[in-house]
Amino acid sequence: MTQFYSEHSKVWLSVDCIIFGFDEGKLKILIGRRKMDPGRGEWSLYGGFVANDESLDEAAARTLYELTGLRNLFMRQVGAFGNVDRDPGERVVSIAYYALINVKDYDDEHRKAHGVEWMDVNEIPKLYSDHNAMVKQAIKLMRQKLHTEPVGFRLLPTLFTFSQLQKLYEAVNGEELDKRNFRKRVKEMDFIEKTELIDKTGSKRGAYLYRFNYRAYKEDPSFKL
């Protein structure tokens, strides 16, 4: 390292990850009890400091892998959080990211080993520092993306019912949707395919299964991946 900028004060740089999952019709996030001072024992997001040889995205991807054991997750930057007094330990600026995973893809033993748990976004307790503000901003951004990107499919299984899709949109938006209007909207989305497969776990009649068509999505100029 050079001796440049030695006259300036140093600031610690970290990343914090808001990991969303969809389970039992509810939008959830992963949180756990903080295992270090300051704030030991408080509810917290999962994060870490950025290494000297890492970019911000690399640090976030590493942090997500350490927690979930999953790679190539859908990840978007939420923003920078840098209030002077946000961390009582040192002057720390944190870059928040949100990620989307299918809860079924996350090994439960891995989750238990890290001491984290899924919690309904509507029942989040007071979190360490400004983590509640990070979650609020992440939900706001995800709601905006839901209208321009099919981000919700990262939260669903490969095959899903219309009811599951509607419940996902309702969970993210935080409001009930008119079934008829939503069905009309789905029909207009070329990247959502109705298959001939039927899920009969809910009733004898069953419900048609849908899937996401990546090729149709990438070829649609009105959407961006």
Side-chain angles (χ1 to χ4, degrees):
M1 298 293 289
T2 68
Q3 298 302 312
F4 296 123
Y5 315 126
S6 59
E7 72 274 21
H8 297 286
S9 59
K10 294 183 179 180
V11 175
W12 295 90
L13 183 63
S14 68
V15 293
D16 282 296
C17 298
I18 304 115
I19 304 174
F20 290 108
F22 181 67
D23 190 36
E24 298 178 346
K26 297 180 183 295
L27 183 66
K28 299 183 178 181
I29 66 167
L30 273 177
I31 61 174
R33 296 286 186 178
R34 190 169 166 88
K35 299 178 180 179
M36 61 185 293
D37 294 318
R40 186 183 298 270
E42 294 183 29
W43 286 108
S44 172
L45 297 174
Y46 192 84
F49 288 100
V50 180
N52 287 333
D53 60 350
E54 287 182 316
S55 69
L56 291 173
D57 286 357
E58 287 171 344
R62 171 181 55 78
T63 300
L64 288 168
Y65 177 72
E66 289 174 355
L67 180 61
T68 67
L70 302 173
R71 296 190 186 277
N72 301 317
L73 295 175
F74 178 93
M75 180 181 75
R76 292 289 186 272
Q77 191 176 117
V78 175
F81 293 77
N83 285 347
V84 175
D85 60 350
R86 65 172 301 274
D87 193 304
E90 292 285 352
R91 178 75 170 94
V92 180
V93 173
S94 182
I95 312 300
Y97 284 79
Y98 78 84
L100 309 177
I101 69 174
N102 187 326
V103 173
K104 300 297 186 291
D105 291 337
Y106 186 21
D107 183 74
D108 205 48
E109 292 303 316
H110 202 86
R111 178 189 64 78
K112 292 177 181 178
H114 281 82
V116 293
E117 60 183 83
W118 289 108
M119 189 166 293
D120 188 333
V121 294
N122 296 311
E123 300 174 358
I124 301 172
K126 173 67 175 66
L127 302 178
Y128 175 75
S129 184
D130 50 8
H131 289 187
N132 286 91
M134 292 180 181
V135 174
K136 183 177 180 180
Q137 181 64 14
I139 292 175
K140 178 180 178 181
L141 291 176
M142 186 165 57
R143 286 174 177 172
Q144 294 171 350
K145 286 290 186 182
L146 201 63
H147 297 289
T148 58
E149 295 182 31
V151 297
F153 296 96
R154 307 281 180 163
L155 301 168
L156 291 170
T158 303
L159 294 172
F160 49 87
T161 65
F162 178 85
S163 178
Q164 286 177 307
L165 181 64
Q166 181 170 338
K167 287 180 179 178
L168 171 64
Y169 271 71
E170 290 176 336
V172 174
N173 286 307
E175 61 182 9
E176 291 187 11
L177 300 173
D178 180 80
K179 186 174 182 179
R180 186 178 302 175
N181 290 338
F182 185 70
R183 186 176 293 276
K184 179 180 179 181
R185 180 183 174 190
V186 168
K187 286 183 178 179
E188 295 172 351
M189 299 178 182
D190 294 335
F191 50 82
I192 299 179
E193 289 185 343
K194 182 179 180 181
T195 73
E196 296 303 315
L197 301 173
I198 296 179
D199 175 22
K200 293 187 176 182
T201 58
S203 65
K204 291 183 179 180
R205 182 181 179 184
Y208 279 102
L209 290 166
Y210 293 74
R211 66 187 172 195
F212 176 49
N213 186 324
Y214 283 91
R215 180 177 296 179
Y217 172 70
K218 291 180 179 179
E219 293 175 353
D220 188 341
S222 64
F223 288 89
K224 296 179 180 180
L225 189 59

